[in-house]
Amino acid sequence: MIRIVLADDHEMVRQGLARLLQDEPNLTVVGTAKDGLEAVRLVEEVQPDVLIVDLMMPGLNGLEVTRQLTQKYPNLLVVMLSMHADEAYVLEALRNGARGYVLKEAGRTDLVQAIHQVMAGQRYMSAPLTERAIELYLNQPQESEIDPYERLTTREREVFQLLAEGHANKEVAERLSIGVRTVETHRANIMDKLNVHTSAEMIHFAYQRGVLK
């Protein structure tokens, strides 16, 4: 039996996908999460075989969820759900450890096929994202300029997204179970690393970087 955690911030999507997967032989949904932070905690708790995660979620986006969890649990297989067919998103998903990329507009069987394909040790891309196109994109020379976002630590990325979503320092502290002064320290470090000076600039950076959409 393939054990699955499903993470999406839309309840109707979660319920619909959960029903779809539960109807399939050898698949079972062992937990669902409505945001990225909850997804991380749930995976750590139930240790599934596969995580199906939405690309854009509150709290922590799917790309960062994937990066954190695949580093900590190398055997975890991640399938990314997305509305975006942009190859840049696909590339970043792969770089962060995803094994599959399924478009939300794809057919209902796509997700089931993706699960079985990644369990078999292969990658899965929804059409029109062909494996050949992804290979060509992956082999493009990388830009020499360092992305400032990559300089942020895991905790700083968590704080950054919550701040960019408009949460106050106290709310961020409560969500992450850390002190307010710790949040303030992270905020200062984040602004320094990203070379931003105001909350508005931080939010603008988050949208430009694709952390928020």
Side-chain angles (χ1 to χ4, degrees):
M1 187 68 72
I2 300 172
R3 303 171 71 251
I4 300 165
V5 162
L6 177 62
D8 192 288
D9 59 321
H10 294 96
E11 185 175 357
M12 290 183 65
V13 173
R14 287 198 311 274
Q15 291 178 350
L17 291 177
R19 284 195 297 269
L20 167 68
L21 298 176
Q22 288 292 148
D23 288 341
E24 291 291 322
N26 301 320
L27 301 183
T28 183
V29 177
V30 295
T32 63
K34 64 182 181 299
D35 64 42
L37 293 171
E38 185 178 349
V40 170
R41 290 192 289 265
L42 185 59
V43 167
E44 291 174 341
E45 178 184 344
V46 303
Q47 300 284 299
D49 302 301
V50 177
L51 168 65
I52 299 169
V53 59
D54 190 13
L55 177 70
M56 292 297 175
M57 287 191 301
L60 201 63
N61 65 78
L63 294 169
E64 181 60 18
V65 169
T66 301
R67 187 189 73 86
Q68 287 190 25
L69 289 174
T70 55
Q71 285 184 357
K72 191 170 184 179
Y73 306 105
N75 293 327
L76 176 67
L77 299 170
V78 178
V79 175
M80 188 77 67
L81 285 177
S82 177
M83 296 172 57
H84 305 285
D86 189 335
E87 285 185 347
Y89 281 111
V90 182
L91 175 62
E92 190 157 7
L94 296 175
R95 284 178 174 168
N96 281 273
R99 297 294 300 172
Y101 194 98
V102 176
L103 297 174
K104 287 190 172 182
E105 65 186 29
R108 293 170 62 86
T109 59
D110 257 36
L111 185 57
V112 175
Q113 185 178 348
I115 293 168
H116 289 297
Q117 200 155 312
V118 299
M119 285 294 294
Q122 302 170 10
R123 287 191 299 197
Y124 183 88
M125 305 291 150
S126 287
L129 301 167
T130 66
E131 185 73 14
R132 175 62 177 165
I134 299 305
E135 289 294 341
L136 289 173
Y137 196 68
L138 285 171
N139 290 330
Q140 288 181 353
Q142 300 301 308
E143 296 180 2
S144 58
E145 185 178 349
I146 298 175
D147 180 357
Y149 182 75
E150 297 299 327
R151 299 172 59 200
L152 300 184
T153 66
T154 293
R155 178 62 86 192
E156 286 170 350
R157 293 182 189 203
E158 295 171 348
V159 171
F160 171 65
Q161 178 161 342
L162 290 170
L163 289 173
E165 288 174 357
H167 296 283
N169 289 351
K170 184 178 179 181
E171 293 173 321
V172 175
E174 291 172 352
R175 289 291 304 276
L176 300 178
S177 300
I178 58 178
V180 174
R181 288 195 175 184
T182 301
V183 173
E184 292 170 351
T185 299
H186 284 312
R187 182 188 188 110
N189 290 337
I190 291 164
M191 297 181 81
D192 180 61
K193 289 181 179 181
L194 301 183
N195 193 28
V196 298
H197 306 93
T198 65
S199 295
E201 288 182 359
M202 185 184 296
I203 294 168
H204 181 69
F205 184 98
Y207 278 108
Q208 280 196 320
R209 185 56 176 72
V211 174
L212 300 181
K213 204 66 180 178

